[in-house]
Amino acid sequence: EDQVTQSPEALRLQEGESSSLNCSYTVSGLRGLFWYRQDPGKGPEFLFTLYSAGEEKEKERLKATLTKKESFLHITAPKPEDSATYLCAVQAWSNTGKLIFGQGTTLQVKP
Amino acid sequence: DGGITQSPKYLFRKEGQNVTLSCEQNLNHDAMYWYRQDPGQGLRLIYYSQIVNDFQKGDIAEGYSVSREKKESFPLTVTSAQKNPTAFYLCASHSGLAGELFFGEGSRLTVL
């Protein structure tokens, strides 16, 4: 069964304190892995797509990486405005019509 | 601007009532989705549609129904058969094989 697990569930950082969020997945033929940011009471906002192991994508203070079993979202020198829930999702070649989401990591960055 | 519009943003329902959540997109996307989000949980797929007049059940379709009569519209009805309907509902769309989903702002349903 295709599955996505994110850790930790919650993360508190001081402003400037870098860290990483983990997304472990099992899927029968990965077509793509996606990262989203979700602010409270809002819909998720797309951040990155990764397709193959070794691939990296960057956007401002965020960098996403992918291996054959997991993905990391690295946050460098975070700011309070980076506080949000970060969601990971996978898409399998066997069913490109749907994404399977993890439960998310809620990040709080304190000034 | 192109995007996905969900309405209403907040909805209160009495037990035993059916309610319909609206989702409209002007992105010319073929595929549309409904997800449910509960506190501390990820998004769970209710229904999806990859083409007009066709749709498939997701992982938690019981107690829900949908229609896809137009490319732009994918309304979700939460029926009285849904045992625990209080949740945050998200509509999304994407085009072709591209995996990136574009989400609406969500509808929060509360059963009184």
Side-chain angles (χ1 to χ4, degrees), chain B residues 30-42:
Chain B
D30 294 309
M32 297 186 74
Y33 301 78
W34 276 105
Y35 284 90
R36 170 180 172 142
Q37 188 174 34
D38 294 285
Q41 296 194 33

Side-chain angles (χ1 to χ4, degrees), chain B residues 16-89:
Chain B
Q17 287 182 335
N18 292 352
V19 294
T20 297
L21 307 180
S22 171
C23 178
E24 303 279 333
Q25 56 102 355
N26 60 3
L27 299 166
N28 199 34
H29 285 172
D30 294 309
M32 297 186 74
Y33 301 78
W34 276 105
Y35 284 90
R36 170 180 172 142
Q37 188 174 34
D38 294 285
Q41 296 194 33
L43 278 63
R44 292 185 290 168
L45 183 62
I46 305 172
Y47 268 99
Y48 64 107
S49 168
Q50 294 181 281
I51 195 169
V52 174
N53 292 322
D54 189 41
F55 48 83
Q56 289 77 41
K57 292 182 179 180
D59 301 314
I60 56 165
E62 185 176 351
Y64 300 97
S65 66
V66 293
S67 63
R68 186 85 187 276
E69 297 177 1
K70 299 186 300 182
K71 186 175 184 178
E72 302 79 18
S73 179
F74 191 40
L76 173 74
T77 297
V78 184
T79 75
S80 57
Q82 168 50 231
K83 300 300 182 186
N84 184 22
T86 294
F88 189 52
Y89 291 88

Side-chain angles (χ1 to χ4, degrees), chain A residues 9 31 34 36 38 41-46 49 51 85 87 91 93 95-104, chain B residues 9 33 35 37 40-43 45 48 50 58-59 88 90 94 97-106 108:
Chain A
E9 288 188 13
R31 181 186 181 273
F34 308 88
Y36 289 84
Q38 185 177 25
K42 302 287 188 181
E45 177 186 344
F46 170 73
T49 307
Y51 292 105
T85 295
L87 298 167
Q91 183 187 38
W93 279 109
N95 189 349
T96 58
K98 59 187 286 189
L99 266 63
I100 301 164
F101 282 84
Q103 77 277 26
Chain B
K9 190 170 179 62
Y33 301 78
Y35 284 90
Q37 188 174 34
Q41 296 194 33
L43 278 63
L45 183 62
Y48 64 107
Q50 294 181 281
D59 301 314
F88 189 52
L90 288 160
H94 79 68
L97 279 180
E100 303 86 278
L101 291 176
F102 292 84
F103 284 88
E105 288 292 277
R108 186 168 299 281

Side-chain angles (χ1 to χ4, degrees), chain A residues 9-17 21 36-43 45 47 60-62 73 75-87 104-111:
Chain A
E9 288 188 13
L11 182 62
R12 289 184 177 183
L13 300 174
Q14 289 296 130
E15 184 172 1
E17 179 186 3
L21 283 56
Y36 289 84
R37 170 193 170 125
Q38 185 177 25
D39 293 306
K42 302 287 188 181
E45 177 186 344
L47 292 174
E60 296 181 354
R61 295 175 293 281
L62 301 176
L73 185 64
I75 303 176
T76 303
K79 298 182 178 182
E81 53 262 41
D82 294 322
S83 298
T85 295
Y86 291 86
L87 298 167
T105 293
T106 299
L107 172 66
Q108 184 181 29
V109 182
K110 294 187 174 183

